[in-house]
Amino acid sequence: MDHEDRIALFLDYENLALGVRDHRGGMAFDFRPVADALAERGRVVVRRAYADWSYFDEDRRMLTRSHVELIEIPQRMGASRKNAADIKMAVDAVELAFEREYISTFVICTGDSDFTPLVHKLRELNKRVIGVGVEKSTSALLPPACDEFLFYDRLEGVEIPETRARRGRPARLPSPEPQAVEREPEPQAVEEEAPRDVDTLAVLVAQTVAGLQASSSGAVTASTLKRTLLRKDPTFSESDYGFRTFGELLRHLAGQDVVELAEGPAKGDPEVSLPEHGDREVAFGLLRTVVQELAGSDGTVALSGLKNQLRRARPDFSEKKLGYRSFLQFCKAAATSGVVDLRWSPEADDYLLTVPGA
């Protein structure tokens, strides 16, 4: 327990509850999915929710049963009531950050961009900040400011199929025909996007591992990789790609030869690296073969358009899956390995590739 994160939870309850009601088909906010998600991240020692509770009788009972301290912000003058709740919550969070050094993580449940300065201040005080908000009502400014951001809609225990059905009803009322039109594309879109999403994920992981290997002399562990992915995109979650755990995701990518896994310094935290041979050598061989086939009378091939030629020969080719940020970087690596020669030509205003000895 000494190594557990101590978490302080602050809920801008009106923002959260109205966001769920307005964008999840009128459903009521349920605190349990949030509590379960935080239980996986550490020990919650402070739970506070801010609102004018005369508007949330049922919610008040639900939160009290979950041991959430209710901070009353009575309604007085229109917008000043909302400002009062925001100010009180921000002051309490900063005060707690100074008074309780053992609290390492602050969870700010809101989609309001007005809390972005609070997030910056907490991180400046060396606190980890997790945001929680409803996807459709969360400002685009807030998630990038956090160390991690959880969309309430995606949390385990939130009934997404029911909310989709409710949300679709108003659009389907005018005539019966749109019903069939709206029902059919939704599952099709999911089926079409899934492979592209996983492919994009493979590129992101490969590039991140390559960057970590270049910037540090030590091994890249799975936990380090996960933290880095969250720094790049605080909304990242392996569950969005259909994986139950980050380890399961890595094993899938290892099976696709995107990464290699080896025993790490701690159990359950393997080392992650890019394949030194295998696909990279195959890709280098493909490049050499295509350059040989396309070489003109002078034995050269221009870099422009060459990537498309490689994809015609091998449709699944992607230099980014191998950890290279660009096709030029991939060709430079091939040149360093002696597979091809690469030089800049002012006359052609392009890089030219040749096969050594050809």
Side-chain angles (χ1 to χ4, degrees):
M1 191 157 91
D2 292 336
H3 300 289
E4 286 184 319
D5 277 344
R6 265 64 167 189
I7 298 174
L9 170 64
F10 290 83
L11 294 100
D12 177 12
Y13 196 77
E14 183 173 344
N15 179 278
L16 212 56
L18 295 183
V20 172
R21 185 195 70 186
D22 294 343
H23 298 285
R24 304 307 299 172
M27 69 180 289
F29 172 76
D30 183 6
F31 178 71
R32 178 48 54 188
V34 176
D36 289 346
L38 298 184
E40 297 168 357
R41 289 162 172 78
R43 181 182 173 212
V44 181
V45 295
V46 174
R47 300 182 181 191
R48 295 179 185 173
Y50 298 74
D52 183 342
W53 296 107
S54 62
Y55 290 90
F56 302 102
D57 281 338
E58 290 297 324
D59 307 61
R60 179 167 53 188
R61 283 188 282 273
M62 176 263 296
L63 291 170
T64 301
R65 286 194 296 269
S66 297
H67 310 288
V68 177
E69 180 184 359
L70 307 182
I71 309 299
E72 179 74 37
I73 308 293
Q75 182 174 9
R76 292 189 181 89
M77 294 177 60
S80 65
R81 170 181 59 85
K82 180 66 173 71
N83 292 338
D86 292 357
I87 293 169
K88 173 64 173 168
M89 182 167 143
V91 169
D92 285 359
V94 172
E95 183 180 47
L96 204 65
F98 279 105
E99 290 183 351
R100 305 286 189 268
E101 291 185 3
Y102 58 83
I103 295 179
S104 58
T105 301
F106 282 75
V107 179
I108 308 298
C109 295
T110 185
D112 193 342
S113 62
D114 289 349
F115 285 97
T116 304
L118 170 63
V119 172
H120 288 313
K121 176 56 66 176
L122 291 172
R123 294 186 68 182
E124 187 180 313
L125 294 171
N126 197 31
K127 305 298 184 183
R128 174 174 165 79
V129 181
I130 300 174
V132 180
V134 179
E135 192 164 4
K136 295 292 186 181
S137 63
T138 295
S139 166
L141 299 175
L142 191 59
C146 301
D147 293 294
E148 182 179 4
F149 198 92
L150 306 174
F151 287 117
Y152 174 81
D153 323 55
R154 305 181 189 178
L155 294 179
E156 187 71 28
V158 176
E159 299 296 330
I160 294 178
E162 292 182 11
T163 56
R164 277 183 182 169
R166 288 177 192 149
R167 188 174 53 193
R169 281 174 192 157
R172 295 173 183 171
L173 283 176
S175 73
E177 285 189 8
Q179 289 183 356
V181 174
E182 281 190 277
R183 279 197 198 117
E184 293 295 331
E186 272 192 282
Q188 266 187 328
V190 172
E191 288 175 2
E192 289 176 2
E193 285 179 13
R196 290 200 299 269
D197 285 346
V198 175
D199 194 57
T200 301
L201 175 64
V203 169
L204 175 63
V205 170
Q207 288 184 331
T208 303
V209 172
L212 289 171
Q213 287 180 330
S215 62
S216 63
S217 56
V220 179
T221 62
S223 58
T224 301
L225 175 60
K226 176 69 178 285
R227 285 195 298 270
T228 306
L229 290 171
L230 283 170
R231 283 197 290 268
K232 287 185 172 183
D233 179 10
T235 68
F236 170 80
S237 172
E238 59 275 3
S239 64
D240 292 339
Y241 300 90
F243 299 99
R244 293 168 297 178
T245 65
F246 190 62
E248 183 180 330
L249 183 155
L250 290 179
R251 289 190 293 274
H252 171 79
L253 295 181
Q256 301 295 315
D257 293 324
V258 176
V259 297
E260 289 182 348
L261 301 179
E263 187 175 347
K267 186 178 180 181
D269 192 15
E271 289 184 8
V272 187
S273 61
L274 294 176
E276 288 297 325
H277 301 287
D279 271 10
R280 192 186 70 167
E281 300 306 319
V282 170
F284 283 173
L286 175 66
L287 175 65
R288 181 186 177 94
T289 300
V290 172
V291 170
Q292 279 180 321
E293 292 175 351
L294 296 178
S297 57
D298 60 353
T300 65
V301 176
L303 181 70
S304 299
L306 182 57
K307 182 175 178 179
N308 288 334
Q309 297 297 328
L310 264 68
R311 282 184 167 168
R312 285 179 184 174
R314 183 178 168 183
D316 64 339
F317 170 79
S318 171
E319 76 282 354
K320 291 182 172 62
K321 280 188 179 180
L322 302 171
Y324 300 105
R325 296 185 181 278
S326 66
F327 185 63
L328 175 59
Q329 187 185 34
F330 166 74
C331 291
K332 287 181 176 179
T336 301
S337 300
V339 176
V340 294
D341 288 330
L342 180 70
R343 64 180 177 85
W344 173 257
S345 170
E347 295 81 11
D349 193 27
D350 199 354
Y351 283 95
L352 298 180
L353 293 88
T354 57
V355 174

